Amino acid sequence: MGSFSSRGQRLESGEAQIFSQWLPLRSWDMTEPPLKLARVAEPAPVSAEGPATEAERASVARAQPQDGGGKKAPEAEQQQATPPEAEVPQGPAGTVTVLSMAGREMAVCTPVPANVAALKAAIEAQTGCPPALQRLVEQEGTRMFDRDEEALPQEDLELLMVIDETPMFSWDHKGNPGNAMLEIDGSVVKCPNLTTDYVNVLTREPMRSGVHYYQFIMHHIGDEQWCGVAADPEQAGPRYSGRYLKAWTYYCGRMRSSSASIVDGTGCLHAKGRAVKEFKKLKPCGDVIGMLVDLDRAAIAFELNGELQGACAIPKDTPLWVLTHVDTPRDHVELVKLSLQDAPQESIEGLSGALLEITGGTPLRSQYACEDANRLG
């Protein structure tokens, strides 16, 4: 990147000329003022009886010292004798130019923000990229700006921005109300300390736009599992059953049941509290759920081990968090985000084909429609 400007540390030639013109004003202020005070006219003689007229009384009042001793000039005359302050020349405010790895200009911020957090907020306003996904580094790669509270040098800067999607496939441990029961290592979640019936686990950051392909590697399912996307991050933790989620999910089925019920037996598309269409039931260990999400088209497709199971609509212009639902202490789920080139062609075509209608599905709970319609929207 270009070298930092030295403005503010030394004066440029034009500023030096201004400064040289300013110096005599300051030295003039510290020595005998060149201006001479006007000689005060002596008052006209006054009779023993005092001033006879209003004009004479005014003349006498003007001649009397204002401070009682006549040692100082009037304040107004002192102000007239003091030269105006000259302004010190100021350097430029500085500009941050943010480039992509290919060298394309992505954002320009003038003046330089106070710290990294303020800079990331300004970049988000211009690019739409959330601060959590921004990785900022000097163009030469010698310094990374990764601490929000770090102050930025108030000079011209050129930074490279890398979009890091890791928070979109890393489970959120810190923000989960049930985090004491969870063991999370990046994209892997276990729950050996589970003391409640279940815990919903969401990613650290949502998807906001574009097309994304995920896989849920189901290392172990103890009873029930839901894997998909949710629109409300407040659903994280042990408060919401899988059947009360405002979510669009692949229900894995109940492992210890032979029931053919799409509500709590076999695999199924569960969307916003309704069982929509039967999907294949998973085995307790080793199956992989694929999930292709197109937020621009507002559609989602699910597959099992590469075989399309179905696709449905999702909300437009709504951030969506990836979700899983652990249910027993032995549950073990790994989330992987892959390139779109890894998505099965059948799933890609499924997004543009006829989508499953979710409004006519079977309510997951008999009271669901009347009790929770307002909560789920």
Side-chain angles (χ1 to χ4, degrees):
M1 61 179 286
S3 61
F4 293 121
S5 169
S6 60
R7 297 180 67 87
Q9 300 177 2
R10 65 183 178 84
L11 295 172
E12 302 295 344
S13 59
E15 296 169 330
Q17 183 177 0
I18 297 173
F19 191 71
S20 65
Q21 296 173 355
W22 175 72
L23 281 176
L25 295 177
R26 299 299 303 172
S27 58
W28 175 78
D29 187 32
M30 293 183 290
T31 60
E32 186 68 25
L35 295 178
K36 293 185 181 295
L37 299 177
R39 186 171 182 271
V40 179
E42 294 185 5
V46 182
S47 66
E49 290 81 8
T53 67
E54 187 68 28
E56 289 177 348
R57 286 194 293 271
S59 176
V60 171
R62 287 194 297 269
Q64 296 299 322
Q66 299 302 308
D67 60 356
K71 297 180 180 180
K72 296 182 181 180
E75 183 178 352
E77 294 186 47
Q78 284 187 331
Q79 292 178 351
Q80 291 178 2
T82 304
E85 292 287 341
E87 294 185 1
V88 178
Q90 300 293 325
T95 297
V96 180
T97 304
V98 182
L99 306 174
S100 68
M101 293 297 291
R104 180 174 60 87
E105 186 177 283
M106 301 183 70
V108 176
C109 303
T110 304
V112 177
N115 54 35
V116 173
L119 173 59
K120 288 185 174 182
I123 294 173
E124 180 183 24
Q126 295 185 43
T127 66
C129 181
L133 306 186
Q134 299 175 25
R135 296 294 177 266
L136 302 175
V137 63
E138 283 186 332
Q139 194 171 22
E140 295 176 356
T142 57
R143 179 182 178 187
M144 178 171 285
F145 296 89
D146 54 359
R147 293 184 297 108
D148 286 349
E149 68 279 5
E150 180 179 357
L152 295 173
Q154 297 300 299
E155 305 283 356
D156 290 339
L157 293 172
E158 281 192 359
L159 304 179
L160 297 177
M161 184 174 80
V162 178
I163 299 176
D164 180 7
E165 293 187 336
T166 301
M168 293 170 58
F169 60 90
S170 297
W171 300 116
D172 182 13
H173 183 268
K174 182 179 179 180
N176 195 305
N179 56 18
M181 297 179 280
L182 303 173
E183 286 187 2
I184 291 178
D185 182 9
S187 61
V188 176
V189 58
K190 302 177 183 179
C191 51
N193 303 316
L194 187 68
T195 57
T196 59
D197 193 12
Y198 44 76
V199 177
N200 297 312
V201 187
L202 276 64
T203 49
R204 288 162 48 198
E205 281 290 315
M207 299 170 283
R208 293 177 171 84
S209 63
V211 186
H212 308 269
Y213 180 57
Y214 293 88
Q215 287 183 348
F216 299 84
I217 302 174
M218 311 305 291
H219 293 288
H220 185 83
I221 306 171
D223 185 14
E224 296 180 288
Q225 274 276 7
W226 284 263
C227 296
V229 297
D232 182 5
E234 295 299 319
Q235 295 177 116
R239 294 170 293 182
Y240 291 84
S241 162
R243 294 177 179 83
Y244 277 95
L245 291 171
K246 182 178 181 180
W248 296 259
T249 63
Y250 192 135
Y251 172 60
C252 299
R254 192 178 288 275
M255 297 299 104
R256 294 171 290 183
S257 172
S258 58
S259 170
S261 168
I262 59 175
V263 172
D264 63 355
T266 189
C268 184
L269 171 64
H270 284 187
K272 293 188 66 175
R274 293 181 176 273
V276 179
K277 177 182 180 294
E278 181 176 348
F279 285 178
K280 284 188 175 181
K281 184 176 180 178
L282 276 72
K283 301 185 296 292
C285 300
D287 282 332
V288 177
I289 296 173
M291 181 176 74
L292 183 60
V293 186
D294 188 338
L295 283 92
D296 301 328
R297 186 176 287 169
I300 186 170
F302 290 102
E303 73 207 42
L304 179 62
N305 300 324
E307 181 183 348
L308 179 66
Q309 300 297 302
C312 69
I314 54 177
K316 283 189 175 183
D317 303 321
T318 302
L320 295 175
W321 283 258
V322 179
L323 168 142
T324 194
H325 174 102
V326 290
D327 190 73
T328 72
R330 295 184 60 194
D331 284 357
H332 179 186
V333 182
E334 180 179 356
L335 181 65
V336 180
K337 192 174 192 298
L338 301 171
S339 166
L340 293 179
Q341 297 176 349
D342 296 314
Q345 185 62 33
E346 190 178 13
S347 293
I348 296 174
E349 294 173 355
L351 292 179
S352 57
L355 301 177
L356 296 172
E357 177 56 56
I358 66 175
T359 59
T362 303
L364 295 176
R365 294 177 66 94
S366 58
Q367 311 97 317
Y368 180 87
C370 58
E371 291 182 359
D372 295 307
N374 291 335
R375 173 155 59 94
L376 296 180

